[in-house]
DNA sequence: TGTACATCAGTGAACGCGCGTTCACTGATGTAC
DNA sequence: TGTACATCAGTGAACGCGCGTTCACTGATGTAC
């Protein structure tokens, strides 16, 4: 894990924690990774942060606000992973799209429970007025993909009739689908064999890219 | 819903229920559809079946056995939907694959919570010795797709280097991905607009099929 | 540099809740003779 | 057609559990003068 811990300071240096909010987010991500979404409880989280189970209420309105923050956080990281994957010297739009596909699946395989959390619908359910920070973080994460698709469309890399929106939907559907199925072990690849999984994912992504491409390259 | 209720007889005709097992499965699917996976509890289920909350234990070992049965049941229905979609007079393998893609997404859109249930990993977690009926039902559901892919590969409908396994993985990934994202509202189509959703799904599936196809048809 | 005081960020006890599961029970059903 | 009895499939009370959340509290921190 390359994740940088936000709560570097010693966990408790007195009565006040100092940075409990960040420590809760860190511990929350670790807890989700370890126990899964359903194993995530405020009380266990507080235990891990070395704090009473009422303390989190000074930083988050309730459980679901905390979960929403974890989701938003995860999307930010996914976005970073995608942007990083797309940073290839001299690569054209289609090559960047392919690289992001691999980066996407790699992220999912490396953070299975967190990935499930992100796509667990209505887990947080922001009510009236609502906190849509998770949605916005998600949209931002995919902005890189969308803009690569726009560039590819603009430069005639896609077949006739394939607009950038369709291409982005196809790419996202493909990588989300293959990542989810791999995590569930549904494609016959054992969970620990990351190399085989990535190899299969790449082949699947290639099919989609070929389907998008302008006929004779 | 075309689902046939298995518990046609009047709910209670005496002390004994008569067909409680089937009634529990029916009520369970309805409960999941209504409240989502997380809203599914044995006690609410028993309430709906008009039975004490200890009664289910005469038919299922525990909660997770019941959930597993619901998942298996759902896969059977999905398999039926796919097989039905593929029954097109005089259609070739590729046309059948396309039809199954549409049928798949249609099933997911029509049964969102049930679809989520099916892909909720480790929900049941069959332990040692284990009941793998859900897995087997899943495999059976996809047998139709796999055999269509095999036929298409055999008859040279796929591009060089695309074997039936890769094709099946690509198809399944695509439809699962687009269905999941549509259910989450992630593709910008409001949940109730089924026509628009299906239209988008079809375009995405077409991309994959074009990617699989032998070069000049 | 002190002092008074408001605010912040913790504590720990307590609440009610609904859950899955177990248990001794009892009424209904089916079968042997 | 009866009767005795085993088995089946319910009942309802009770169990312990961990949860999210609230509350009055208190120690620590920061600021005004």
């Amino acid at each position: 894990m390359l994740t940088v811990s936000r709560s570097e300071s010693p966990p408790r240096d007195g009565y006040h924690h100092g940075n409990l909010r960040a420590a809760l987010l860190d511990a929350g991500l670790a807890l989700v990774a370890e126990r899964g979404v359903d194993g995530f409880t405020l009380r266990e989280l507080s235990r891990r942060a070395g704090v009473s189970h009422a303390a989190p209420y000074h930083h988050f309105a309730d459980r679901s606000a905390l979960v929403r923050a974890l989701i938003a956080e995860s999307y930010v990281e996914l976005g970073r992973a995608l942007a990083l994957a797309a940073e290839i010297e001299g690569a054209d739009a289609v090559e960047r799209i392919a690289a992001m596909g691999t980066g996407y699946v790699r992220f999912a395989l490396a953070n299975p429970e967190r990935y499930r959390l992100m796509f667990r619908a209505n887990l947080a359910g922001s009510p009236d007025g609502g906190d849509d920070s998770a949605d916005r973080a998600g949209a931002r994460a995919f902005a890189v993909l969308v803009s690569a698709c726009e560039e590819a469309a603009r430069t005639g890399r896609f077949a006739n009739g394939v607009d950038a929106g369709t291409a982005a939907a196809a790419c996202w559907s493909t990588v989300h689908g293959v990542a989810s199925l791999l995590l569930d072990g549904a494609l016959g690849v054992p969970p620990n064999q990351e190399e085989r999984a990535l190899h299969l994912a790449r082949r699947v992504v290639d099919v989609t890219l070929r389907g998008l491409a302008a006929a004779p390259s």
Side-chain angles (χ1 to χ4, degrees), chain A:
Chain A
M1 286 288 294
L2 290 171
T3 310
V4 178
S5 172
R6 277 173 254 71
S7 56
E8 294 286 330
S9 47
R12 301 303 291 283
D13 35 3
Y15 187 89
H16 279 193
H17 185 285
N19 204 8
L20 183 54
R21 191 192 145 89
L24 287 172
L25 290 177
D26 276 350
L29 291 177
L31 180 52
V32 166
E34 202 173 305
R35 300 267 183 96
V37 191
D38 295 313
F40 176 85
T41 68
L42 280 191
R43 296 180 95 110
E44 175 62 20
L45 177 62
S46 306
R47 258 170 246 135
R48 291 186 175 215
V51 110
S52 85
H53 57 255
Y57 286 90
H58 283 281
H59 300 275
F60 298 93
D62 53 18
R63 187 195 124 102
S64 88
L66 218 163
V67 171
R68 259 178 281 137
L70 292 178
I71 293 178
E73 173 86 12
S74 298
Y75 271 112
V76 169
E77 264 185 59
L78 172 57
R80 248 197 301 261
L82 292 186
L84 196 73
E87 273 177 17
I88 307 174
E89 189 74 29
D92 66 20
V94 173
E95 285 163 349
R96 275 182 280 133
I97 293 172
M100 281 188 271
T102 304
Y104 186 101
V105 176
R106 203 188 293 277
F107 178 90
L109 293 177
N111 309 280
E113 291 300 340
R114 218 196 302 184
Y115 186 77
R116 289 197 182 101
L117 170 73
M118 295 161 67
F119 286 97
R120 187 92 146 227
N122 304 326
L123 236 196
S126 59
D128 46 336
D131 160 26
D132 58 344
S133 64
D135 287 350
R136 281 184 289 109
R140 225 175 301 127
F142 292 105
V144 204
L145 171 63
V146 171
S147 78
C149 284
E150 280 164 354
E151 180 182 332
R154 205 181 327 115
T155 55
R157 303 295 308 274
F158 290 154
N160 281 340
V162 174
D163 60 309
T166 300
C171 289
W172 191 6
S173 294
T174 302
V175 292
H176 176 58
V178 75
S180 303
L181 293 177
L182 282 169
L183 289 185
D184 286 355
L187 292 179
V189 179
N192 48 349
Q193 301 202 17
E194 187 166 337
E195 275 317 307
R196 273 188 62 200
L198 269 177
H199 184 246
L200 200 167
R202 244 181 301 245
R203 290 210 316 271
V204 167
V205 169
D206 281 347
V207 169
T208 296
L209 288 177
R210 201 177 324 131
L212 290 171
S217 65

